[in-house]
mmCIF file with all atom_site columns, all heavy atoms in Angstrom:
data_model
loop_
_atom_site.group_PDB
_atom_site.id
_atom_site.type_symbol
_atom_site.label_atom_id
_atom_site.label_alt_id
_atom_site.label_comp_id
_atom_site.label_asym_id
_atom_site.label_entity_id
_atom_site.label_seq_id
_atom_site.pdbx_PDB_ins_code
_atom_site.Cartn_x
_atom_site.Cartn_y
_atom_site.Cartn_z
_atom_site.occupancy
_atom_site.B_iso_or_equiv
_atom_site.pdbx_formal_charge
_atom_site.auth_seq_id
_atom_site.auth_comp_id
_atom_site.auth_asym_id
_atom_site.auth_atom_id
_atom_site.pdbx_PDB_model_num
ATOM 1  N N   . ALA V 1 781 ? 23.310 74.940 44.237 1.00 0.00 ? 781 ALA V N   1
ATOM 2  C CA  . ALA V 1 781 ? 22.317 75.969 44.530 1.00 0.00 ? 781 ALA V CA  1
ATOM 3  C C   . ALA V 1 781 ? 22.415 76.339 45.998 1.00 0.00 ? 781 ALA V C   1
ATOM 4  O O   . ALA V 1 781 ? 23.100 75.671 46.779 1.00 0.00 ? 781 ALA V O   1
ATOM 5  C CB  . ALA V 1 781 ? 20.920 75.464 44.220 1.00 0.00 ? 781 ALA V CB  1
ATOM 6  N N   . ILE V 1 782 ? 21.775 77.415 46.332 1.00 0.00 ? 782 ILE V N   1
ATOM 7  C CA  . ILE V 1 782 ? 21.680 77.799 47.736 1.00 0.00 ? 782 ILE V CA  1
ATOM 8  C C   . ILE V 1 782 ? 20.252 78.233 47.996 1.00 0.00 ? 782 ILE V C   1
ATOM 9  O O   . ILE V 1 782 ? 19.571 78.723 47.095 1.00 0.00 ? 782 ILE V O   1
ATOM 10 C CB  . ILE V 1 782 ? 22.716 78.899 48.062 1.00 0.00 ? 782 ILE V CB  1
ATOM 11 C CG1 . ILE V 1 782 ? 22.988 78.902 49.559 1.00 0.00 ? 782 ILE V CG1 1
ATOM 12 C CG2 . ILE V 1 782 ? 22.257 80.272 47.585 1.00 0.00 ? 782 ILE V CG2 1
ATOM 13 C CD1 . ILE V 1 782 ? 24.287 79.560 49.899 1.00 0.00 ? 782 ILE V CD1 1
ATOM 14 N N   . GLU V 1 783 ? 19.804 77.972 49.215 1.00 0.00 ? 783 GLU V N   1
ATOM 15 C CA  . GLU V 1 783 ? 18.422 78.295 49.515 1.00 0.00 ? 783 GLU V CA  1
ATOM 16 C C   . GLU V 1 783 ? 18.343 79.733 50.019 1.00 0.00 ? 783 GLU V C   1
ATOM 17 O O   . GLU V 1 783 ? 19.001 80.105 50.987 1.00 0.00 ? 783 GLU V O   1
ATOM 18 C CB  . GLU V 1 783 ? 17.867 77.329 50.548 1.00 0.00 ? 783 GLU V CB  1
ATOM 19 C CG  . GLU V 1 783 ? 16.374 77.484 50.701 1.00 0.00 ? 783 GLU V CG  1
ATOM 20 C CD  . GLU V 1 783 ? 15.747 76.353 51.511 1.00 0.00 ? 783 GLU V CD  1
ATOM 21 O OE1 . GLU V 1 783 ? 16.368 75.286 51.614 1.00 0.00 ? 783 GLU V OE1 1
ATOM 22 O OE2 . GLU V 1 783 ? 14.652 76.555 52.038 1.00 0.00 ? 783 GLU V OE2 1
ATOM 23 N N   . ASP V 1 784 ? 17.537 80.529 49.330 1.00 0.00 ? 784 ASP V N   1
ATOM 24 C CA  . ASP V 1 784 ? 17.341 81.905 49.777 1.00 0.00 ? 784 ASP V CA  1
ATOM 25 C C   . ASP V 1 784 ? 16.373 81.929 50.949 1.00 0.00 ? 784 ASP V C   1
ATOM 26 O O   . ASP V 1 784 ? 15.744 80.925 51.269 1.00 0.00 ? 784 ASP V O   1
ATOM 27 C CB  . ASP V 1 784 ? 16.773 82.751 48.627 1.00 0.00 ? 784 ASP V CB  1
ATOM 28 C CG  . ASP V 1 784 ? 17.855 83.117 47.634 1.00 0.00 ? 784 ASP V CG  1
ATOM 29 O OD1 . ASP V 1 784 ? 19.028 82.942 47.987 1.00 0.00 ? 784 ASP V OD1 1
ATOM 30 O OD2 . ASP V 1 784 ? 17.516 83.554 46.524 1.00 0.00 ? 784 ASP V OD2 1
ATOM 31 N N   . ALA V 1 785 ? 16.247 83.117 51.538 1.00 0.00 ? 785 ALA V N   1
ATOM 32 C CA  . ALA V 1 785 ? 15.420 83.240 52.730 1.00 0.00 ? 785 ALA V CA  1
ATOM 33 C C   . ALA V 1 785 ? 13.963 82.891 52.456 1.00 0.00 ? 785 ALA V C   1
ATOM 34 O O   . ALA V 1 785 ? 13.259 82.392 53.322 1.00 0.00 ? 785 ALA V O   1
ATOM 35 C CB  . ALA V 1 785 ? 15.510 84.658 53.271 1.00 0.00 ? 785 ALA V CB  1
ATOM 36 N N   . ASN V 1 786 ? 13.523 83.116 51.230 1.00 0.00 ? 786 ASN V N   1
ATOM 37 C CA  . ASN V 1 786 ? 12.128 82.819 50.925 1.00 0.00 ? 786 ASN V CA  1
ATOM 38 C C   . ASN V 1 786 ? 11.925 81.410 50.380 1.00 0.00 ? 786 ASN V C   1
ATOM 39 O O   . ASN V 1 786 ? 10.890 81.089 49.835 1.00 0.00 ? 786 ASN V O   1
ATOM 40 C CB  . ASN V 1 786 ? 11.578 83.847 49.932 1.00 0.00 ? 786 ASN V CB  1
ATOM 41 C CG  . ASN V 1 786 ? 12.418 83.889 48.676 1.00 0.00 ? 786 ASN V CG  1
ATOM 42 O OD1 . ASN V 1 786 ? 13.385 83.147 48.547 1.00 0.00 ? 786 ASN V OD1 1
ATOM 43 N ND2 . ASN V 1 786 ? 12.044 84.748 47.764 1.00 0.00 ? 786 ASN V ND2 1
ATOM 44 N N   . GLY V 1 787 ? 12.946 80.563 50.542 1.00 0.00 ? 787 GLY V N   1
ATOM 45 C CA  . GLY V 1 787 ? 12.807 79.165 50.137 1.00 0.00 ? 787 GLY V CA  1
ATOM 46 C C   . GLY V 1 787 ? 13.116 78.916 48.682 1.00 0.00 ? 787 GLY V C   1
ATOM 47 O O   . GLY V 1 787 ? 12.964 77.807 48.195 1.00 0.00 ? 787 GLY V O   1
#
Side-chain angles (χ1 to χ4, degrees):
Chain V
I782 202 160
E783 190 168 339
D784 283 346
N786 56 1

